[in-house]
Amino acid sequence: MGGVGPAASARRVVAVTAFDGVQLLDVTGPAEVFTTANLFGARYDVRVVSPSGTDVRTSSGVRVGVESGPAGLPGRLDTLVVTGRREWRQAVAEPGVMALVTGLAGRSRRVTSVCSGAFLLARAGLLDGRRAATHWRLAGQLAAAYPRVTVEPDPVFVRDGPVTTSAGVTAGIDLALSLVEDDHGGDLAREVARELVVFMARPGGQSQFSARLTPREARHPVVRAVMDAVTADPSAPHGLESLARAAGVSARHLRRLFRAETGMTTGQYLESVRLESAQALLEGGNDHIEAVAGRSGFGSSETMRRVFQSALGVTPTAYRARFRSTAGYPARRET
């Protein structure tokens, strides 16, 4: 990998891999972003490529037309998008698929993967010594199968040098938008996001999870009652003692039970719910930052800022600026 990128006026060839069993949105999501960018002045030449150059049947049963095999592509590529399939072990065991990935990666300025496509990059050795993301359900499997990869199970996407890996299926859209923004700036990327009716881009470090959905494996009625109380009113003073009293158990018992059921402390869960509440208020309203902090339970804008910076890698103000651009607000020029 490496080399000098194409001139601004040249067409950027984007190769998107496809093979039998591939997840449909892994292919079509990024392809739609790049081709939509062309409506606003970008010059992407998107090619869907399979090992044999023939059409493929996706995991949903929908057939996808293929441009060519690898021999039909130019010698140098701007971007490679490696897609995945649920049965990743079968994918990495197919010589044709692996030859496609390794061959095209060596011809590409930058290499990316969507969802379980990270397993193909790992199998090719392209993630050795790098940080990587994949679908949260597969993060543990990726780490176990390829110990030389530093797997980050939470982010939407992770960049490490010329290689970017993204989380499950729709994260490929976030990834592609970020690449468009790299190539053509925030204004054009915002136009693409508005056209596709999606967020401008979730910051790469943003969690894949919803706090209200993460610990759904919790079955104990006490834990469920506590979770429901927290999500119903994140701004309430939900201390361990008060939550335990409301649930009719001791604080010590609730602490043990909650961690056993969810893998989190009540304080960690409360903070994650408050963070999600603040995100929703910033995305959909015009309240002052201090008011958002109060309504979401953080108490002060400084506390909220620290949590945002730690969890998402952005300030609340920066977070609002990115998400407002998809809702008809005036866009702030990015530098």
Side-chain angles (χ1 to χ4, degrees):
M1 292 180 292
V4 178
S9 60
R11 294 184 68 81
R12 299 173 182 266
V13 178
V14 178
V16 182
T17 65
F19 43 86
D20 285 334
V22 71
Q23 295 192 108
L24 178 62
L25 198 56
D26 284 15
V27 177
T28 58
E32 195 68 35
V33 170
F34 289 119
T35 55
T36 300
N38 289 342
L39 300 176
F40 302 101
R43 291 176 58 81
Y44 292 109
D45 181 1
V46 180
R47 313 278 190 95
V48 179
V49 57
S50 69
S52 63
T54 57
D55 295 352
V56 302
R57 184 178 293 278
T58 66
S59 60
S60 62
V62 176
R63 295 194 70 85
V64 169
V66 169
E67 178 87 10
S68 70
L73 296 176
R76 291 295 299 168
L77 307 175
D78 182 76
T79 305
L80 173 63
V81 179
V82 177
T83 54
R85 60 182 293 180
R86 293 186 179 92
E87 305 84 2
W88 64 265
R89 292 180 181 84
Q90 295 180 25
V92 300
E94 293 181 11
V97 173
M98 290 310 307
L100 178 71
V101 171
T102 55
L104 295 183
R107 296 156 56 180
S108 301
R109 179 175 70 91
R110 59 189 177 191
V111 174
T112 70
S113 69
V114 183
C115 197
S116 59
F119 287 87
L120 300 174
L121 294 186
R123 179 69 178 84
L126 297 170
L127 297 182
D128 288 354
R130 296 187 188 277
R131 297 176 300 112
T134 188
H135 191 288
W136 64 270
R137 286 191 185 277
L138 300 175
Q141 297 177 42
L142 181 62
Y146 302 99
R148 297 188 66 182
V149 181
T150 301
V151 180
E152 299 189 3
D154 205 23
V156 173
F157 59 85
V158 170
R159 295 190 184 192
D160 194 327
V163 180
T164 306
T165 50
S166 70
V169 287
T170 60
I173 295 174
D174 298 284
L175 169 63
L177 278 170
S178 75
L179 297 179
V180 170
E181 186 172 6
D182 286 347
D183 295 339
H184 299 286
D187 290 342
L188 191 145
R190 275 187 285 270
E191 291 296 337
V192 176
R194 280 194 283 262
E195 185 72 15
L196 297 178
V197 197
V198 296
F199 287 133
M200 162 62 179
R202 289 178 284 179
Q206 183 174 328
S207 174
Q208 299 181 39
F209 306 103
S210 162
R212 294 171 174 83
L213 299 178
T214 300
R216 285 304 187 197
E217 65 271 17
R219 293 289 183 266
H220 198 285
V222 168
V223 175
R224 294 302 318 159
V226 168
M227 291 169 60
D228 290 343
V230 169
T231 57
D233 186 7
S235 64
H238 294 297
L240 177 63
E241 295 286 347
S242 62
L243 288 171
R245 281 196 303 271
V249 297
S250 70
R252 183 178 181 183
H253 181 59
L254 178 59
R255 182 187 296 111
R256 289 181 188 170
L257 191 60
F258 202 91
R259 182 176 283 281
E261 286 280 304
T262 70
M264 309 169 73
T265 66
T266 55
Q268 289 170 330
Y269 182 69
L270 175 60
E271 184 174 280
S272 67
V273 170
R274 285 175 172 169
L275 175 62
E276 189 171 297
S277 175
Q279 288 175 272
L281 291 169
L282 291 169
E283 292 165 22
N286 294 304
D287 286 350
H288 189 273
I289 295 295
E290 198 69 43
V292 171
R295 290 180 60 190
S296 58
F298 284 114
S300 73
S301 59
E302 177 58 26
T303 299
M304 184 170 72
R305 187 194 65 79
R306 286 198 300 267
V307 173
F308 264 71
Q309 198 71 55
S310 174
L312 305 180
V314 295
T315 65
T317 301
Y319 182 90
R320 167 176 271 173
R322 294 183 70 87
F323 278 78
R324 273 187 165 189
S325 67
T326 67
Y329 294 93
R332 184 182 69 177
R333 183 173 297 278
E334 301 191 4
T335 58

